[in-house]
Amino acid sequence: MSATKIYVGIDLGSTTTKAIILNGAGDVLGRGITNSRSNYDVACAVARQEAFVRARFALIRTVLGREAALAAVAKGFLPALERTFHLQQHLDQLDRLRQALRQAAAAPRHRDCREQLHDRVESIVAAMREKAPALYGELAVRKSDFFRDLAAADYMHLAEQHSDPKRVTFDTLCGLFDAAILSVENSTGDGSFEHHISAALDRTLASRPAWKQSAEQLRAAVETARLIELKETGTVGTGYGRQRLPFPKEQIRSEILCHGLGAHALFPRTATVLDIGGQDTKAIQVDANGIVTSFQMNDRCAAGCGRYLGYIADEMNLGLHELGPLAQQSRRRVKINSTCTVFAGAELRDRLSLGQRREDILAGLHRAIILRAMSLLARSGGVRQEFTFTGGVARNPAAVDALRGLIKENYGQQTLNISPDSIYTGALGAALFALRGDREAA
Amino acid sequence: MKPELEQLVHRAQQLYEDLDLAAVRTWKQAAPGRKAIGYMPIYVPRELMHAAGILPVGILGGGDRLEIIRGDAYFQSYICHIPRSTVELALSGRLDVLDGMLFPSIGDVIRNLSGMWTMLFPGRYVRYVDVPQNFDPKVGGAYWRRELETLQGDLTRLAGRAIKDDDLRHSIAIYNQNRQAIRELYQARSWQPWVYPTSELYLFLRAGNVLPPEEHTELLRQYLKLAPLEEDRKEKDHSRVVLVGMFCEQPPLGLLLTLERAGCWIVDDDLLLGMRWLTGEVEVEGDPLANLVTAFLEQSTATASRYQPEGDRGRALVESVQHNVAEGVIFCAPSFCDPALLDQPMLIAALDRESIQHTQFKYSEDTGQFAVIREQAGTFSDSIRLWSEA
Amino acid sequence: MSEHSVEKEQSMLLQKQMIAGHYQALARAPEEGRKTVYTFVPGNLTELLRSFDLLPVLPEINALQSGMRKLSAGYIAEAEKYGHSEDVCTYVKCDIGMLKKGNISPTGTQLPNPDLLLLSYTGCFTFMKWFELLRQEYDCPVAMLHVPYQADGKIHPHHRDYVVEQLRSEVIPMLEKISGRRYDEDRLRASLALSVYAEDDLVWVLESAKNTPSPIDAYFGGVYYIGPIFSAFRGTPEGVEYYRTLRQEIEARLRDGLGPITPEGSMGRERYRLVVEGPPNWTSFREFWKMFYDEGAVVVASSYTKVGGLYDRGFRHDPDRPLESLAEYCMGCYTNLGLPSRVELLESYIREYHADGFMINSVKSCNSFSAGQLLMLRQLEERTGIPGGFIESDLVDPRYFSSANIKNRIESYLQMLEQKRGTKVGA
């Protein structure tokens, strides 16, 4: 049985919690993400578990890669195994949701309709179980990676069908879900590799003749990977909730440092980092080694942060990811002077009532957000080559367009880096600190 | 609107909208060696600059048309807006045409901006104009005279020519004419606010920021002549109100329009107070510096940034309400403007003693939304009318 | 440690007694027929007031004490109820609220109404509005002392003459009228002579922070050290006694190589030496301080401790030039200096006190301090090559102290300094 040293970075953010696992060479073995919810400990455990699961799959890939004979089979097998694994996790969560729903239905205030409620819940969950495999099909596009979101979408849809205005109302069913999902989310459950791999493996192997034929070798490879000991040699926590992590002080780093180092790891020539997250915006300058040399954060008001776009999306009844593309359609940008979150709704309604077009208002809003970020960048020492943009807002194309334009106008042509994995930047930095700490100790 | 007035308004509007100070550039280019000096809101002795052949240029921020890209980097969210846009104007090169800046004593933000200017633009002429808050001629007067002499010395060096007493007397006379024209305009508006709507009057006043005073006076005179010829300017069932709190950061033009459309005739205000700081004429004969000192000590207007030894904050406001036969007061102050906002409770107390109605709201120079203000001003105007009928 | 904590307590106790005694004297003032003068810390004329046997009341001190004792939120709400804007200075609102609720001092004693408002208009525009507001409440006379701003950091002779003239023609006659006493310059001189002793000792204490480790915290501890001299005790024997005691205590700490005293005892290893610009937050003062000492961060110099006079740059009250030196004192107070002078001072502190970093606590209330601080930050970074930290809070409005946010910034900043130093996780 072989062992490999691993280093874990956890970023406990205000909206999401991220975990990253690195090997001794600094390669990413696994990533995990979950919504931070009200319970940070659980969020942390869930993200970690997810990262460990992914790390195992990375190991399986390595083991399979060594066997040339399996190459052809492995190509499709591994993703299928991974999907099936997640389906198993999902079904497991559904079981827990069912339990929680039954418990909630047993509350005294549902005395009059307990039995009907019970039946409806059973039917709904059964239908959800039926729909689950489709969520993890080969070409399936999931709207979210979080069980909460996926379950909620299905449940609400089904609850509408299974409710009636007299006995079991839609509101009652919604209320049950709200109570139940909270209890599911606030306990870790067991989504571990050990717990689900065997069922997932059986199911996957049975699903295709070619895999059935190579079952023995494939099982052996998975077993080899399973037995590799992952020695957690260093762990560093960061993020807004880092004080809540059950780590000793030496294992806690500010998210500024982690972001700087993480951005440097993603793009080694990074000199300036802009991170626009849910609750805050950070402008960071780093040296050639990813060491932070200066930084600025937004002031106590969250105007101009990701949350602001969230309010706008809610107000316009749009998905967050729909805002940017819509704004890009603008041809006559409206000038917006205030990015005050409190007044966002009122201002928006007012402008719409004046006949201003949604896309033009949105274009103005995106620019206003980026203008706030430009101030922070200026305060931190400007924009230097290369420039790396991270955080949730970096995934918004209209924000990126606005940023690109303003950077060019004010700082000249600069390389703008955006990684699809930018949400993990902080966790990556934290894991790198864990790795560096171990190297230095050695 | 008749073409003549339309042209005149258009010219004023253009000057107002021109953030690049093209008029100042044109003026400077018209003769070699011409200099221009900017000054922030409220009082600076413009006569001294004029006498040195320097064009005093009023700098009142960037209004609602300037996008703030660099300026915000220097100010926390709880600081008013005018310094941001002023820094933006300067950093974007729009104020390069100025050969210096004067920062009057109006509050801590503008005061500190003078120091920021020194650091941001080393080598440019900067002066904080700390007017006396003691009005005894032998004490505050003596101090102010020394300050004026220092300023005179600076301007002499800057202009490369001595300021002779006769030059200064001449400039005082020129500004007396300008003040006279403004007073007449304010008086005319007070009588017939429908003939001289404030949203228009304001543009003509603002023109004085960038035009030489002689030209500005002429512009005002023309406006005074042309506006009454508009036959469609008729009295409406509006309320007559006095506006207070706008002496530093200026409201967007849209706000003034909104108030008028909401049924308020503005019959007095503290907009562009620097041009109207001295309430009377400055003596032309005799020692010109002494005359400027005396005028400042004895004829300064009452406003938040000036100490009133006699106390009784609000008396001047009540007098304005009475003099202009106003029916109410609108406190319209910029957000985070300590002088205006701290003054308010005292002014309100004075109004309450006289049973004068009032309402209040805040703005910033770049406020783009007036729905709430429209609603509030409309309600206020209605309530005044109902009240006066009752 | 125990021995020193006892010694420390001696100066602390002394100060506590002095403050309590002063509030008691104020409470008794009406029955004893003593007159009181409200005035401000910057540009305060304590010796002059004392020479007329007048008792000073410092509304700023009342406000900050109310903040420390968790009374300010209620007072601010009270003032806002009376029409004060959320935007404006919270010292003013705290004071107005306290007055509206009966003018009970932070220690629980009754404060007398002022017989005079001495508006020492120094370095802060809001002072003028503040006393205009109080004048309306109390209907009492005001003496205005306009102290010209030192935009270029130099004291011009005609500025000094202006202040001296105001003292002679406005302030002193008013004090004579209120107190019923004649101006006694000899008495003033004697008091000013006492000031010098206290000033010398205070400067010694503040400059002890040049040692490594520093025996004092010149910000969180510093605000206690400046208490007596910035308020009612400059030029008094108690003031002299306090500073002598304090100096002896610090001398002992220095001898023993001890770090600053904190609310939780002697500080551990000194890991960061910081210079701080801006006033502290008072509503969460202890918590704020803890964020520093928990990380081993010591403030070795601060500008806030200079709002009541820049003694460490050589200024002393001068018995031979009583009014002139009072005038110079007023003009030299920190917030009465132009921004370039403030930057120069902070830069020299960073160098002279061998600071690893500097931090700006930008308070929402105080435009005099805050407007321009972001440029100061940048200038200091350019001049010293040291990155600065920037945090935002308020004086006495607890709504503006976001603990998690501030702690996050302080930690991030200190970790950055450490990383730059390469002591722990270098590249």
Side-chain angles (χ1 to χ4, degrees), chain B residues 25 39 97 104 159 173 202 221 233 238 275 291 300 358 362 364 370 379-380 383:
Chain B
R25 280 168 220 273
Y39 64 95
V97 67
Y202 181 70
R221 293 271 166 223
R233 298 193 169 182
H238 277 16
M275 288 181 189
N291 293 339
S300 285
H358 49 85
K362 289 186 287 188
S364 119
F370 305 111
T379 310
F380 181 63
S383 76

Side-chain angles (χ1 to χ4, degrees), chain A residues 240 242-243 249 253-257 289 291-294 296-300 378-379 433 440, chain C residues 294-295 374 377-378 387 392 399-400 404-405 408-409 411-413 415-416 419-420 424-427:
Chain A
Y240 205 73
R242 62 181 182 274
Q243 304 303 339
K249 206 171 165 183
R253 283 286 180 291
S254 99
E255 73 249 44
I256 300 283
L257 299 200
N289 298 306
I291 302 297
V292 175
T293 54
S294 98
Q296 286 290 321
M297 294 167 82
N298 62 302
D299 52 35
R300 56 184 282 283
R379 286 182 200 177
F433 271 115
E440 268 160 34
Chain C
D294 271 356
E295 303 292 328
L374 283 160
L377 175 87
R378 209 187 277 187
E392 288 168 286
R399 290 172 294 187
Y400 290 86
N405 193 318
N408 188 15
R409 285 182 202 211
E411 277 182 16
S412 299
Y413 179 70
Q415 285 182 17
M416 175 178 81
Q419 207 187 26
K420 274 181 68 127
K424 200 156 190 196
V425 196

Side-chain angles (χ1 to χ4, degrees), chain B residues 234-379:
Chain B
K234 301 249 159 54
E235 187 168 4
K236 287 184 203 153
D237 185 22
H238 277 16
S239 305
R240 296 170 61 86
V241 301
V242 173
L243 289 191
V244 200
M246 312 169 121
F247 49 84
C248 184
E249 182 172 321
Q250 299 293 292
L253 195 58
L255 196 154
L256 299 175
L257 274 164
T258 300
L259 293 180
E260 288 181 324
R261 286 183 188 150
C264 298
W265 288 135
I266 297 156
V267 294
D268 198 13
D269 59 57
D270 56 0
L271 293 157
L272 294 162
L273 206 54
M275 288 181 189
R276 304 182 290 124
W277 185 269
L278 300 179
T279 54
E281 306 234 322
V282 182
E283 179 61 50
V284 179
E285 299 307 318
D287 177 352
L289 269 190
N291 293 339
L292 281 176
V293 170
T294 306
F296 183 85
L297 296 180
E298 295 174 1
Q299 301 189 71
S300 285
T301 191
T303 188
S305 62
R306 179 177 164 261
Y307 180 62
Q308 273 176 300
E310 65 280 8
D312 198 8
R313 277 265 166 219
R315 196 191 63 211
L317 179 59
V318 169
E319 279 172 6
S320 163
V321 169
Q322 289 162 349
H323 174 77
N324 294 294
V325 205
E327 298 156 289
V329 170
I330 297 183
F331 292 100
C332 195
S335 295
F336 303 109
C337 177
D338 268 19
L341 293 169
L342 285 165
D343 224 24
Q344 250 178 38
M346 293 184 273
L347 301 181
I348 284 175
L351 295 181
D352 286 345
R353 282 196 294 273
E354 303 290 329
S355 303
I356 297 166
Q357 304 235 40
H358 49 85
T359 189
Q360 64 201 71
F361 48 77
K362 289 186 287 188
Y363 66 88
S364 119
E365 61 174 345
D366 69 341
T367 299
Q369 289 300 300
F370 305 111
V372 177
I373 293 176
R374 189 166 51 233
E375 193 67 31
Q376 200 181 332
T379 310

Side-chain angles (χ1 to χ4, degrees), chain A residues 42-54:
Chain A
V42 173
C44 175
V46 169
R48 262 179 71 97
Q49 191 173 63
E50 182 63 17
F52 270 90
V53 166
R54 306 265 179 191

Side-chain angles (χ1 to χ4, degrees), chain B residues 120-133:
Chain B
L120 280 170
F121 309 106
R124 292 198 206 173
Y125 177 69
V126 179
R127 187 166 177 84
Y128 174 61
V129 182
D130 201 356
V131 296
Q133 300 288 4

Side-chain angles (χ1 to χ4, degrees), chain B residues 196-213:
Chain B
Y196 312 91
T198 298
S199 45
E200 207 171 82
L201 168 140
Y202 181 70
L203 292 175
F204 286 101
L205 232 56
R206 280 284 296 242
N209 275 343
V210 289
L211 293 178

Side-chain angles (χ1 to χ4, degrees), chain C residues 61-137:
Chain C
I61 307 273
N62 291 336
L64 77 86
Q65 292 273 354
S66 299
M68 286 179 115
R69 291 162 205 244
K70 313 280 180 208
L71 298 165
S72 55
Y75 292 154
I76 290 167
E78 185 73 9
E80 289 179 359
K81 214 165 75 191
Y82 280 90
H84 279 278
S85 168
E86 196 190 322
D87 291 359
V88 302
C89 174
T90 58
Y91 267 2
V92 176
K93 286 188 286 187
C94 182
D95 189 42
I96 302 257
M98 187 179 86
L99 154 70
K100 293 282 187 192
K101 286 195 166 182
N103 226 11
I104 306 298
S105 84
T107 58
T109 56
Q110 180 67 48
L111 282 170
N113 286 357
D115 296 292
L116 174 72
L117 296 166
L118 173 52
L119 209 180
S120 54
Y121 180 55
T122 304
C124 164
F125 183 85
T126 297
F127 285 162
M128 188 162 95
K129 296 284 113 187
W130 192 340
F131 272 10
E132 283 176 351
L133 284 159
L134 289 193
R135 171 190 229 166
Q136 283 209 331
E137 298 291 338

Side-chain angles (χ1 to χ4, degrees), chain C residues 199-234:
Chain C
E199 288 159 2
D200 283 344
D201 284 338
L202 171 67
V203 169
W204 188 91
V205 167
L206 292 175
E207 292 193 332
S208 72
K210 287 182 180 171
N211 292 284
T212 307
S214 167
I216 63 159
D217 185 290
Y219 186 53
F220 296 105
V223 300
Y224 291 99
Y225 306 152
I226 57 174
I229 206 167
F230 278 18
S231 58
F233 298 99
R234 207 177 62 210

